[in-house]
Amino acid sequence: MTFLRRTTLGTMAAALAFSLAGFSAQAQTKLRVFSGGQNQRPDLMRKLFDQYQAANPGITIDIETGGATSELQRQYLSTVLNAKDSAIDIYMIDIVNPAQYFGAGWLEPLDTYVGPAATALKPYLPVYASANVVDGKVAALPAFADAMFMYYRKDLLAKHGIAEPKTWDELSAAAKKIQATEGNANLQGLSIQGAPIEGAVCTFLLPYWGQGKEFNDAAGRLTLDKPAAVKGLGTWLGMVDAGVIKKNVAEVKTPDTVNEFKAGQAVFAINWGFAWDRFKDDADSQVKGKVGVMPLPAMAGGRSATCVGGWQWAVSAFSKHKAEAAKLVKHLASPASSKFLAVEGSLLPTYAEVYTDADVNRQAPWFKDAAAVVVAGKSRPLSKDYGQVSDIIRTTTSAILARTKTPAEGVDETEGRLRRVMR
Amino acid sequence: MSAVTGSRVAGQGLWSGPGLRLIAAGLVVFNGFFPALWILFTSLKPESELVKKPITWWPQAPSLANYVQAFTDQPLGRYLLNSAIVATLSTLLSLFVSALAAYAIARLNLRYRQAVLTTIVASSMFPLVTLLVPIFETMRALGLLNTYTALVLPYTVLNLPVCTLVLVSFFQSIPRDLENAAMIDGCTRLGALWRVVVPLAAPGVFTAGLLAFVNAWDEFLLALSLNAGATMRTVPVGIALYQGEFTFPWPIISAALIVALVPMALLIAAFQERVVGGLTQGGLKG
Amino acid sequence: MADRLPLLDRLRDPSERTLGLLLLAPAFVLLALIVVYPIGRLLWNSFFDLRLSGGGGAKFVGLDNYALVLTDQDFWNATANTLLITVITVPGALIVGLGLALLANLPFKRRWPVRLALLLPWALPLSFAGLIFAWFFHTEYGVVNDVLIRLGLEDRRDPTMWLLKPGWAMAAICLTIIWKTSSFMALILLAGLQMIPRSLYEAAEVDGATPWQQFWQVTVPMLMPSIVVALIFRTITALQTFDIPYTMTKGGPGHATQTLAMLIHATTIDYLDLGYGSTLAVCMFVMSLAVTAVYLRHIGRQAQ
């Protein structure tokens, strides 16, 4: 053979040998991701994973579902993580969980993979700089955001010539006026959640924050303003007495509010972001095209405040593939992934700039209104003992709304119990 | 003599007359069927019908859409198979082990039998939620996670107290003469157990079996923690997955519940004769 | 003393002691494999301050956890609720179960609907039974209020909020528990009824006993062993009541319907306080043992 042909053949052979060696040296890593139930859109996550797998041939990703609700997931995880199981590499956890899970030693700090907390969380919405940072370390990265919105019947407000209420008193008056004129016995003024579920923590905090008060300081110590809390809860009870909120509000859970508003049985409703699509798209929705969304009203002399929700990605402290898992998590929390989830599933973005992205706005025009709400949102108490904190707040709030305790009694009890936990 | 009037059976002459008996039957049937019927009706309704006021009982436009969705949202068929296998195996194992233990306690003159019975029953006195983590660790150490064995063994242990105690009480009510007669005829003790005592205690055996089966079928906590893989889940865990953080689709869940109840109902209907059968008539005539 | 028989002979025709050991072995092997380690861990943990929120390090505290239990308001409240539920639902389920068993034992042309109706409540998973009955008692969407309104016993504009009033919520929970567990009792009692020889009733009738007297003189005494068995398990499970109040009221309003098992669940799973949770579990065990010791002694005496 000629010299050229030999060299070409030689080069090709060498290239082939190198690529073969490359493939065999690149072991298949299987990452197992624990994502939530239906509402965390495992179908969309699967698409993200498929894209990642295509771009990273050495990785396969399996999804595991261990429980459809936060409760059941905590049940499952507390068993598996207490046993220090290494079977799962990545968890999708609620925004309230990083503090508790990191404190329990279940989450791997991501600083070595994504940089120190101050820089790693800067690109995201401000709330994550506190929610996902525990003991100065990065405990989790955001998957998608959520917040409590005030949904309302645009058509009814327009019909009665009422503007968007800016305070709770205005809202109460508007609701009463509409209820009186419409004459529908089943029409509620405002639907909120009073059952002892996680959402009840927000029910407690919304009118409290609405007065401009803070629940805890940066170090996690309790700074409860008792009269303000009593006043806040009293606002809800006042609306029950006025017939704006129904009497059995302590039985109302998140799906109940959605189903009732969807059936046209409420003028105003407080609920999470997923409800928008249900009102707009569901086949049996009576309120298609009639729904508006606005920031939560403030208390007189206070400011508007809402509860932030959403889910986070975290790496298990017991994972055998921490580096690969962290890399995947970083990708899942990137602006591209956030935009994908926003466009495909109307999941609220975790970056301010994605809210105003052209593609996103075409798919979900309401994100423009949503942005202001989410950016100004506050996080629930960040505590290593959040499980207990949440239990205390939601149980007493529900008892107050069920009128088995007066607001003063209830707030006293809440403060007493919380003092022992949030020292 | 026994075929005279139905009313003379078992000291229940109070309910003489078909009218009162029909009322009695009606009460029992209503009590047992009403919630199941409510679930059946719900499974034929769309979710929007559930917030109508006043509430509707019979579905306004019955449809099987929820059943279709129940099977497409999740592999319900696979869950049924898993539950059936786990429940059947653990029931059979439970009955076998507890029959042996019950015989030893009821018939043999062992000094420590009170302590043995107490120990077996005492194992059920701890709330399962506090035993979860160590059981999980044990199964993981044995490499049994996400297998049928992982559930069959704990379910057998969970049902051991009930089965043992039920069988002890039934074995005790059978007169010893029958076994002694069999042993004089050349049977060993174990032979007497399987050939004389167990058949005579058949109502107790089938009762214990039904209880164990239903317990194993409906168990949730262990199944959630040990068999979380999609192909190994059991029915209760699967049904809990139809809900979401913010949604609770009663119609679809109802459809899944009905589907899960059907095999149990068939099983009960098939075996209820055995529980209450006339097998005892022959042996106890004397 | 004398030469013991060779092993094989002993196995083929074992003495009572050997036979006893052989027969009990499978049960104890299973118990050892599955529950001995967990129960041991539980007892061990109860002497430590083991709170995962503090990083998970265990600190030995001896009997401090138990001392804490004595002053814990939530513990006493939960125990009171649990005992109340036990005292109401154990006799309740027995009476209803006995009634159902007797009714199901009547001769019908087609017996399977009655027998199936007897067992369906038991076949419905516990947590869903709770959710279904919570729905029945719902203020607006519940069947109970619907029927009461249609009968004119309640005002449509002001229906009773069953699950939001502590007393009514407890009543609703007890009713649901009785509904569910009476079929468990009925199943055991029905099997027991089958074991009563007809000759005893015939003899009593010949002696001129009325059906009511026959019930007390023949049925109840002969059924006593089954009754005791049914009571033992009903009591143990009553002390561990969890699913039904958890799904119906989550322990609300406030802590009015929180049982000991719910407190243990919250402590272990939500608060991640394994030390104290184990202590509470041991307390529950002691309670169960004390209550059922009486029953078990009765069974022991029967065996002699």
Side-chain angles (χ1 to χ4, degrees):
Chain A
M1 286 196 242
T2 65
F3 174 74
L4 195 57
R5 229 185 257 153
R6 240 182 287 145
T7 328
T8 321
L9 272 174
T11 323
M12 277 169 57
L16 191 61
F18 266 120
S19 51
L20 278 176
F23 273 132
S24 58
Q26 192 175 44
Q28 271 299 82
T29 315
K30 186 188 272 256
L31 292 176
R32 293 180 71 207
V33 178
F34 180 87
S35 68
Q38 312 277 24
N39 288 124
Q40 283 75 49
R41 305 303 304 270
D43 54 327
L44 293 181
M45 300 305 164
R46 183 70 260 170
K47 290 203 190 133
L48 276 179
F49 297 148
D50 290 339
Q51 287 174 3
Y52 190 83
Q53 278 176 186
N56 296 273
I59 312 269
T60 39
I61 304 169
D62 278 348
I63 295 187
E64 205 180 287
T65 348
T69 62
S70 234
E71 243 166 42
L72 288 171
Q73 283 161 10
R74 197 172 320 131
Q75 172 72 61
Y76 176 76
L77 289 180
S78 79
T79 306
V80 165
L81 291 173
N82 259 320
K84 300 197 177 24
D85 203 54
S86 63
I88 300 181
D89 303 288
I90 297 174
Y91 296 97
M92 193 203 274
I93 56 181
D94 200 347
I95 193 175
V96 292
N97 288 330
Q100 185 170 24
Y101 289 7
F102 191 81
W106 293 348
L107 305 180
E108 179 73 14
L110 297 173
D111 297 53
T112 31
Y113 309 103
V114 303
T119 43
L121 290 162
K122 205 147 182 290
Y124 299 96
L125 297 173
V127 69
Y128 295 115
S130 42
N132 287 345
V133 176
V134 187
D135 291 341
K137 302 258 164 66
V138 179
L141 288 178
F144 55 91
D146 203 352
M148 283 206 138
F149 296 96
M150 178 65 81
Y151 298 96
Y152 66 99
R153 293 282 300 275
K154 266 194 321 212
D155 59 320
L156 289 177
L157 257 64
K159 181 170 158 195
H160 296 268
I162 305 177
E164 283 184 10
K166 291 277 178 284
T167 67
W168 288 109
D169 294 326
E170 283 175 26
L171 185 141
S172 186
K176 269 212 314 243
K177 181 161 167 221
I178 296 176
Q179 280 175 295
T181 336
E182 289 291 314
N184 177 358
N186 285 335
L187 186 65
Q188 305 163 45
L190 169 65
S191 181
I192 60 172
Q193 292 87 56
I197 55 174
E198 177 63 29
V201 178
C202 296
T203 305
F204 174 90
L205 289 169
L206 289 174
Y208 180 78
W209 282 335
Q211 297 169 60
K213 302 290 175 185
E214 290 299 326
F215 192 80
N216 57 280
D217 63 16
R221 271 185 300 262
L222 186 65
T223 57
L224 184 66
D225 182 337
K226 288 206 316 207
V230 173
K231 182 161 170 223
L233 292 163
T235 312
W236 295 135
L237 288 177
M239 287 198 232
V240 173
D241 291 332
V244 172
I245 297 179
K246 58 184 180 182
K247 286 207 200 106
N248 59 320
V249 59
E251 263 179 322
V252 177
K253 306 194 171 90
T254 312
D256 300 324
T257 300
V258 171
N259 285 336
E260 287 165 14
F261 189 87
K262 209 167 52 152
Q265 291 174 7
V267 181
F268 294 94
I270 298 182
N271 217 302
W272 300 100
F274 81 104
W276 176 265
D277 276 357
R278 302 288 302 275
F279 299 149
K280 182 168 70 85
D281 294 332
D282 274 8
D284 53 11
S285 169
Q286 308 286 332
V287 297
K288 279 191 218 194
K290 302 185 192 165
V291 183
V293 73
M294 64 182 213
L296 267 76
M299 296 283 277
R303 54 178 155 87
S304 168
T306 191
C307 228
V308 166
W311 293 70
Q312 327 298 313
W313 293 111
V315 174
S316 169
F318 313 113
S319 161
K320 296 214 165 78
H321 311 287
K322 291 187 189 154
E324 292 91 335
K327 194 161 157 243
L328 174 59
V329 162
K330 199 164 162 206
H331 170 80
L332 292 170
S334 65
S337 300
S338 191
K339 179 171 160 173
F340 176 83
L341 292 175
V343 168
E344 297 282 324
S346 294
L347 295 174
L348 289 163
T350 53
Y351 293 87
E353 67 262 23
V354 181
Y355 281 91
T356 43
D357 182 287
D359 297 320
V360 171
N361 282 134
R362 225 178 312 126
Q363 277 297 117
W366 77 287
F367 278 7
K368 275 201 282 326
D369 300 323
V373 180
V374 182
V375 170
K378 300 166 74 74
S379 72
R380 281 157 274 173
L382 303 163
S383 162
K384 296 217 165 92
D385 287 301
Y386 185 73
Q388 198 163 3
V389 170
S390 167
D391 189 27
I392 293 170
I393 299 178
R394 65 177 184 252
T395 309
T396 359
T397 304
S398 186
I400 293 171
L401 290 173
R403 294 210 130 110
T404 49
K405 290 192 169 78
T406 64
E409 283 170 5
V411 171
D412 267 337
E413 187 185 324
T414 307
E415 201 232 0
R417 285 174 186 267
L418 284 176
R419 283 246 168 267
R420 274 177 268 153
V421 179
M422 290 173 76
R423 269 168 270 117
Chain B
M1 196 60 218
S2 41
V4 167
T5 41
S7 59
R8 293 288 164 95
V9 167
Q12 288 158 314
L14 283 169
W15 292 96
S16 54
L20 281 176
R21 257 187 287 136
L22 217 53
I23 296 180
L27 282 174
V28 179
V29 170
F30 176 79
N31 176 71
F33 275 93
F34 183 74
L37 277 178
W38 183 262
I39 290 298
L40 181 64
F41 292 162
T42 306
S43 69
L44 300 168
K45 297 178 187 171
E47 199 170 356
S48 53
E49 196 175 325
L50 300 182
V51 290
K52 278 212 179 0
K53 284 197 269 251
I55 62 176
T56 63
W57 291 50
W58 177 254
Q60 283 172 341
S63 118
L64 290 176
N66 294 315
Y67 286 91
V68 174
Q69 201 173 345
F71 276 95
T72 50
D73 273 0
Q74 294 199 75
L76 194 54
R78 175 83 210 190
Y79 297 161
L80 284 168
L81 180 70
N82 292 337
S83 274
I85 293 178
V86 168
T88 310
L89 289 179
S90 70
T91 302
L92 292 174
L93 191 57
S94 237
L95 284 176
F96 177 72
V97 173
S98 52
L100 295 178
Y103 188 75
I105 296 170
R107 281 290 190 254
L108 300 180
N109 208 354
L110 306 164
R111 250 173 326 168
Y112 49 81
R113 66 174 159 213
Q114 181 65 16
V116 165
L117 191 57
T118 310
T119 312
I120 293 179
V121 173
S123 68
S124 68
M125 292 183 193
F126 292 92
L128 188 56
V129 72
T130 48
L131 305 177
L132 269 182
V133 175
I135 294 181
F136 179 86
E137 286 174 351
T138 308
M139 290 301 158
R140 184 182 53 184
L142 294 172
L144 288 173
L145 286 179
N146 271 311
T147 61
Y148 290 130
T149 322
L151 293 181
V152 169
L153 291 179
Y155 288 175
T156 309
V157 172
L158 284 179
N159 286 320
L160 213 54
V162 180
C163 291
T164 310
L165 207 50
V166 167
L167 290 178
V168 163
S169 126
F170 276 82
F171 288 176
Q172 278 172 354
S173 65
I174 294 173
R176 286 184 191 246
D177 339 342
L178 294 162
E179 285 155 77
N180 294 342
M183 284 197 287
I184 289 172
D185 281 351
C187 219
T188 64
R189 291 207 82 132
L190 281 177
L193 166 65
W194 296 115
R195 260 175 272 203
V196 177
V197 180
V198 167
L200 284 178
V205 173
F206 281 101
T207 303
L210 269 174
L211 288 175
F213 189 88
V214 171
N215 270 354
W217 186 272
D218 287 343
E219 202 280 332
F220 181 76
L221 276 182
L222 279 171
L224 175 71
S225 312
L226 299 177
N227 274 23
T231 49
M232 293 303 290
R233 278 182 211 136
T234 57
V235 168
V237 176
I239 295 186
L241 282 174
Y242 287 106
Q243 57 184 303
E245 182 68 26
F246 304 128
T247 52
F248 193 89
W250 259 121
I252 301 176
I253 291 179
S254 302
L257 279 173
I258 295 287
V259 168
L261 269 180
V262 162
M264 293 249 269
L266 288 176
L267 196 82
I268 292 169
F271 282 108
Q272 49 90 22
E273 270 302 320
R274 297 298 187 88
V275 173
V276 213
L279 297 159
T280 55
Q281 301 308 78
L284 294 174
K285 200 112 95 112
Chain C
M1 199 194 60
D3 288 293
R4 289 173 88 206
L5 291 170
L7 181 66
L8 270 170
D9 284 341
R10 260 190 289 149
L11 282 176
R12 225 175 283 128
D13 187 18
S15 71
E16 289 226 337
R17 237 191 77 201
T18 325
L19 184 62
L21 288 171
L22 282 174
L23 291 176
L24 291 172
F28 277 88
V29 162
L30 279 173
L31 283 175
L33 182 65
I34 303 289
V35 293
V36 165
Y37 169 57
I39 294 178
R41 264 283 284 272
L42 191 74
L43 285 168
W44 180 254
N45 281 345
S46 71
F47 297 114
F48 287 81
D49 177 2
L50 183 56
R51 269 177 292 171
L52 286 186
S53 58
K59 215 173 50 176
F60 181 74
V61 290
L63 292 172
D64 280 3
N65 282 339
Y66 290 92
L68 204 61
V69 168
L70 291 175
T71 57
D72 187 1
Q73 269 301 97
D74 287 334
F75 168 76
W76 290 113
N77 174 62
T79 304
N81 287 337
T82 309
L83 288 175
L84 181 65
I85 289 178
T86 306
V87 161
I88 295 178
T89 61
V90 173
L94 178 64
I95 295 171
V96 176
L98 188 55
L100 289 173
L102 290 171
L103 288 174
N105 202 32
L106 291 174
F108 297 108
K109 240 187 310 176
R110 250 174 277 278
R111 308 213 273 203
W112 67 264
V114 174
R115 306 265 179 74
L116 183 57
L118 205 60
L119 293 164
L120 270 183
W122 191 247
L124 199 61
L126 201 54
S127 50
F128 287 102
L131 289 171
I132 293 167
F133 274 79
W135 189 359
F136 287 167
F137 283 104
H138 195 276
T139 310
E140 297 167 281
Y141 305 120
V143 185
V144 173
N145 274 347
D146 193 48
V147 167
L148 289 176
I149 288 175
R150 283 177 206 262
L151 289 177
L153 293 170
E154 231 177 46
D155 189 351
R156 180 173 293 282
R157 282 156 303 168
D158 192 17
T160 315
M161 301 192 288
W162 300 103
L163 298 177
L164 299 182
K165 304 269 176 267
W168 285 125
M170 188 55 97
I173 288 172
C174 287
L175 187 118
T176 310
I177 295 176
I178 291 180
W179 176 83
K180 181 99 177 50
T181 57
S182 55
S183 67
F184 166 82
M185 308 287 271
L187 188 49
I188 294 183
L189 295 173
L190 188 60
L193 280 174
Q194 302 314 298
M195 304 288 282
I196 304 178
R198 202 163 291 174
S199 48
L200 289 176
Y201 289 108
E202 288 164 7
E205 236 184 276
V206 161
D207 282 349
T210 66
W212 185 244
Q213 285 171 320
Q214 283 175 42
F215 175 72
W216 285 105
Q217 288 169 12
V218 180
T219 312
V220 172
M222 293 299 290
L223 209 48
M224 205 41 94
S226 303
I227 291 179
V228 173
V229 171
L231 282 178
I232 289 180
F233 286 104
R234 181 73 280 276
T235 310
I236 293 178
T237 43
L239 290 169
Q240 290 187 19
T241 304
F242 174 79
D243 292 80
I244 287 186
Y246 187 73
T247 48
M248 284 181 87
T249 58
K250 285 262 183 315
H255 293 285
T257 55
Q258 187 184 47
T259 62
L260 190 51
M262 292 172 71
L263 183 60
I264 294 175
H265 186 269
T267 310
T268 314
I269 304 288
D270 286 338
Y271 308 176
L272 299 180
D273 188 346
L274 298 181
Y276 194 61
S278 304
T279 313
L280 291 172
V282 172
C283 292
M284 175 187 270
F285 166 71
V286 169
M287 248 185 270
S288 309
L289 196 58
V291 171
T292 51
V294 178
Y295 294 130
L296 284 170
R297 194 146 306 149
H298 181 102
I299 295 226
R301 256 183 277 129
Q302 287 279 73
Q304 266 116 27

